Amino acid sequence: MKKFVGLDLLRFCLAVYLTVFHTIREYPQNVDLPLIDLTNLGGFATSTFFILSGFILSHVYFGGTAQLRGGARGFFVKRLSNLYPVHLVSLAMLLVVSAAGTRALDTFSLMSLDDGDSVVTLGNAQAAINFVLNVLLLQVWNPLYASINPASWSLSTLLFFYIVFPVVAPGLLRARHKERLLVVLWVLYLIPPVVATSMHWYGPAAVGVITRNPVMRLPEFLAGILLFGMYQQSQFAHFCNHWRRVCLALIFITGSFVAGAWLESQGDLYPRYIIHNGGLMPAELLLVVVCTNVAIPSRFETICVRLGNSALSIFAIHVPVFLLMMKALKLLSIGQSPLWCMSNFAACISASKHVVPSMATYPVYLVVTVVAAMYFQERLLVPIRSLLRTRFLGNASQESTSVTTERGSR
């Protein structure tokens, strides 16, 4: 089975970008960084992840066949054994880090595009229900309250995609005129954000539905399935083998990304839904197409695959790693010994709240996150996944090709 090493590298780069998107603004010094606005387009990376998911799932589970490889039961066991351990372990890490700090798990920021964000604290019953929804990866169906682990909303969306994949993929892959269907999907995808913008639906519930609801984001996943069908029919071969066309595609992708980032950061309110949902879809699709044909030297293939396989783990653990590292940096910066902090814990925590870590530590955080995610993936998640697949599928559980299970941002 063909390996798309270029897509593995793309997955890794998108995961690192999303990590930066979620964390760099926690440093007050970020406002002085050049080109900081280019880090403000998390929706581009998340959408590309969803397209990649449809593409690679189609490659792994259909390829040149007309039927789902391994059957529906095998598909769901393999996908859920890949998704839930990542989610549950990263959620447990976040709970531990939060318990050791001051992060409240019942307090959420409700995002509004017109009136600014507001903070709400849930009652005991609401907080308990929200926690159960988070554990079950169903929290994304509530448009108001964000995930306890911010990254996991996209895992919840992926769970929905997995449910619909065996139903919709065969028909899409058999369809004639896939390029026309792709255009239809794009138009359908743009309708909700255009309507919401025209009606000025900018409140928290509308933002939650438009930007995170799995049904609203489904066209991206379906587009990835169609894109693989087009690739399978060699519709991109002439394009990818012509370097001038590839250069023009890269210029278009870069221009779209820069324009989207500028509009998201500096532009008016009205294009933001459209930028987030569908406005950049042609560039996202082109990016996947270009990366399917990226040639990686054989000596770098193994590390690229490892980095790609760690992409989901990077996204899942980057928040607890960030919280832990920020707390450690603050404690080290107050000028007190660890022994003093252990005996005067409350005073130490109070003093550390006013410390602002240096921006010079940020590259260290990114490196630590990547290395930790690789070990997290290979030493913890892979054994858990293998155990679950052996338990429910027996010896047929081993999968020869890794499947992306990417996660998003906003």
Side-chain angles (χ1 to χ4, degrees):
M1 184 179 291
K2 178 179 173 59
K3 291 184 179 181
F4 294 102
V5 182
L7 295 184
D8 283 318
L9 195 57
L10 175 61
R11 290 162 59 198
F12 169 72
C13 293
L14 293 173
V16 172
Y17 178 85
L18 285 167
T19 299
V20 173
F21 167 76
H22 279 143
T23 58
I24 196 168
R25 282 168 182 77
E26 297 298 320
Y27 287 83
Q29 309 97 314
N30 80 86
V31 296
D32 298 322
L33 296 176
L35 305 177
I36 185 63
D37 287 348
L38 294 182
T39 68
N40 200 33
L41 204 60
F44 182 93
T46 306
S47 296
T48 307
F49 266 127
F50 289 157
I51 292 170
L52 269 172
S53 185
F55 185 97
I56 299 183
L57 284 176
S58 300
H59 168 59
V60 171
Y61 288 101
F62 284 95
T65 68
Q67 293 184 336
L68 186 70
R69 286 193 180 109
R73 183 173 184 272
F75 171 78
F76 286 120
V77 168
K78 290 174 180 177
R79 293 305 91 227
L80 296 183
S81 67
N82 203 53
L83 193 65
Y84 265 103
V86 174
H87 163 58
L88 293 177
V89 174
S90 60
L91 178 60
M93 290 174 59
L94 188 65
L95 293 176
V96 171
V97 173
S98 298
T102 58
R103 186 175 185 268
L105 299 179
D106 59 352
T107 302
F108 295 91
S109 177
L110 301 184
M111 188 170 67
S112 175
L113 294 186
D114 52 356
D115 296 327
D117 296 353
S118 59
V119 177
V120 59
T121 300
L122 304 182
N124 291 336
Q126 283 183 307
I129 292 172
N130 191 58
F131 181 78
V132 171
L133 291 176
N134 270 267
V135 171
L136 298 177
L137 274 182
L138 298 175
Q139 74 276 19
V140 76
W141 297 99
N142 184 337
L144 287 178
Y145 308 125
S147 302
I148 292 174
N149 182 5
S152 69
W153 79 262
S154 51
L155 303 184
S156 183
T157 301
L158 270 183
L159 178 62
F160 174 73
F161 292 168
Y162 291 163
I163 292 171
V164 303
F165 177 75
V167 179
V168 301
L172 291 175
L173 293 172
R174 288 195 304 265
R176 301 174 61 188
H177 307 299
K178 293 181 178 65
E179 65 283 355
R180 297 180 188 177
L181 277 178
L182 204 56
V183 173
V184 170
L185 271 178
W186 184 38
V187 173
L188 290 175
Y189 189 26
L190 286 170
I191 290 175
V194 169
V195 171
T197 300
S198 64
M199 300 299 292
H200 303 286
W201 292 339
Y202 297 136
V207 171
V209 170
I210 296 297
T211 61
R212 294 192 296 268
N213 185 273
V215 176
M216 295 294 178
R217 306 301 295 266
L218 184 60
E220 294 171 338
F221 181 70
L222 301 182
I225 298 173
L226 285 172
L227 200 66
F228 174 75
M230 295 170 67
Y231 172 85
Q232 199 175 29
Q233 295 172 350
S234 301
Q235 295 189 33
F236 305 133
H238 184 62
F239 168 82
C240 289
N241 291 331
H242 198 293
W243 70 269
R244 287 189 178 87
R245 292 194 177 110
V246 172
C247 288
L248 288 174
L250 291 174
I251 292 171
F252 174 75
I253 294 165
T254 303
S256 298
F257 182 88
V258 172
W262 185 88
L263 288 171
E264 182 75 17
S265 303
Q266 308 292 338
D268 294 328
L269 187 64
Y270 67 87
R272 294 192 180 179
Y273 275 144
I274 299 170
I275 292 169
H276 193 281
N277 285 48
L280 299 176
M281 194 172 182
E284 294 154 2
L285 291 167
L286 264 181
L287 179 59
V288 175
V289 170
V290 169
C291 288
T292 60
N293 203 48
V294 170
I296 304 294
S298 58
R299 63 182 180 275
F300 297 123
E301 281 191 3
T302 299
I303 187 61
C304 287
V305 171
R306 289 182 65 195
L307 291 172
N309 288 340
S310 70
L312 181 60
S313 294
I314 290 172
F315 194 65
I317 71 170
H318 74 269
V319 172
V321 170
F322 181 77
L323 293 175
L324 184 63
M325 186 167 173
M326 287 289 283
K327 182 61 66 178
L329 288 172
K330 288 182 177 183
L331 291 174
L332 290 173
S333 301
I334 63 174
Q336 298 291 343
S337 70
L339 289 177
W340 185 87
C341 279
M342 290 177 65
S343 58
N344 300 272
F345 186 73
C348 205
I349 292 295
S350 177
S352 69
K353 291 180 181 179
H354 307 291
V355 176
V356 178
S358 169
M359 196 77 213
T361 64
Y362 193 67
V364 177
Y365 158 69
L366 293 178
V367 173
V368 168
T369 300
V370 170
V371 173
M374 292 178 69
Y375 278 91
F376 180 79
Q377 174 72 24
E378 297 171 0
R379 301 297 176 86
L380 179 62
L381 296 180
V382 169
I384 293 175
R385 183 180 66 190
S386 299
L387 183 65
L388 291 172
R389 292 180 182 180
T390 301
R391 168 65 179 83
F392 291 104
L393 295 177
N395 294 331
S397 65
Q398 298 307 314
E399 193 172 349
S400 60
T401 304
S402 63
V403 181
T404 186
T405 52
E406 3 1 289
R407 255 9 1 263
S409 78
R410 295 176 58 181

